[in-house]
Amino acid sequence: MADEFTVQGHRSGDVGSLSWEGAADAETLARAVSLAADDMILGQQVRRLEVAIPATDTMARRALHLAGFRREGVRRQAQQAADGNYVDVQLYARLATDPVYGPQGFSAVMETVLPKKRLIAHVVLRNEHNQVLLLQTTYKSDWELPGGVVEPDETPRLGAEREVFEELGLELELGSPALVDWMPPSLGWSDALEFIYDAGPTEAEALTGFLLEPREISQAHWVDREELDERVSPLSARRIRLVLDGFTGFTEDGIPLA
């Protein structure tokens, strides 16, 4: 019958894949996917089991989550829907060694499907003239503060210290951030959180002889407050001025909350 629901397992060496045809309710689909996955991995000793589904199929996604599958990536506009539009295809996989049941299994799956935000850390460095240090990079036109993207499992503070050392050869010990900002999507980037640290007035001896990282940093410049609008993005200028004015707290798009 046209509406008969079946799940098929396919194997090539020690790698398998699952697909299904026909209609099923959410409970039936979840149970069928779980049983088929266990059969392929435990019964047929498949090392890796893969599934590709349209990103719009929320019921299939839930069934895969319950069966211990982790999302590994997205193929953009890879499948044509019934209305003629193209939709993304999400790639899921489960390894024979993956924990599936209990809190660890659930958390491991959720780690792959929940939203992730970039975390960025920058540092305001000032000289005796209250000028701010800005870096001219090799990959963009506007200048920016020393710092960069925080690595996984790295605190924002340590990330800022690491980035400053990598970019300038300068060792810093930072404290609490002066400002934490939510950054809206821009220029193809998704939204992010940025921590900005105020290193305070820095001794002149520490501000000479920078060892610039040549792949990313072309020059370092001391910039007056009045020059900020010419050198950095409007968002960056707003935040730097807040730090120079002694603001501490949380902002959204560089604007303090009322």
Side-chain angles (χ1 to χ4, degrees), residues 228-230 232-243:
L228 290 173
D229 289 331
E230 303 174 25
V232 300
S233 68
L235 169 59
S236 185
R238 288 196 296 273
R239 298 185 306 196
I240 293 173
R241 288 195 182 97
L242 285 172
V243 174

Side-chain angles (χ1 to χ4, degrees), residues 20 36 74 112 123 128 132 149 163 211 222 247:
W20 49 86
V74 177
T112 69
V123 179
E128 68 274 19
V132 177
V149 175
E163 284 282 346
L211 300 175
W222 291 106
F247 174 86

Side-chain angles (χ1 to χ4, degrees), residues 96-197:
T97 54
D98 284 342
V100 175
Y101 305 107
Q104 185 177 357
F106 176 79
S107 298
V109 171
M110 291 297 100
E111 171 70 12
T112 69
V113 299
L114 290 177
K116 293 181 174 62
K117 290 190 185 294
R118 284 177 300 120
L119 191 59
I120 304 166
H122 281 113
V123 179
V124 174
L125 286 165
R126 285 175 278 172
N127 61 15
E128 68 274 19
H129 306 295
N130 208 35
Q131 295 174 310
V132 177
L133 184 69
L134 296 178
L135 302 183
Q136 186 174 355
T137 68
T138 59
Y139 52 86
K140 58 187 292 189
S141 58
D142 54 306
W143 300 355
E144 61 181 26
L145 293 169
V149 175
V150 178
E151 299 289 347
D153 302 322
E154 182 179 51
T155 70
R157 178 180 59 84
L158 292 179
E161 292 174 354
R162 173 186 54 76
E163 284 282 346
V164 169
F165 182 74
E166 291 175 358
E167 293 177 341
L168 300 172
L170 180 64
E171 294 189 20
L172 292 178
E173 291 187 6
L174 301 170
S176 298
L179 184 153
V180 178
D181 184 50
W182 173 83
M183 300 168 56
S186 176
L187 300 174
W189 292 103
S190 59
D191 67 334
L193 291 175
E194 178 159 347
F195 287 62
I196 299 181
Y197 295 83

Side-chain angles (χ1 to χ4, degrees), residues 8-12 15-20 40 44 46 48-49:
Q8 298 87 34
H10 313 273
R11 176 173 178 170
S12 177
V15 176
S17 63
L18 288 182
S19 61
W20 49 86
M40 292 288 290
Q44 302 187 43
V46 167
R48 173 183 169 84
L49 188 59

Side-chain angles (χ1 to χ4, degrees), residues 63-95:
L64 291 171
H65 299 165
L66 292 173
F69 283 79
R70 306 184 190 188
R71 191 172 67 188
E72 295 188 335
V74 177
R75 295 165 55 205
R76 295 179 300 151
Q77 296 189 11
Q79 185 171 320
Q80 191 171 24
D83 60 4
N85 292 319
Y86 286 90
V87 298
D88 294 346
V89 170
Q90 295 188 349
L91 306 178
Y92 280 82
R94 175 176 150 188
L95 303 181

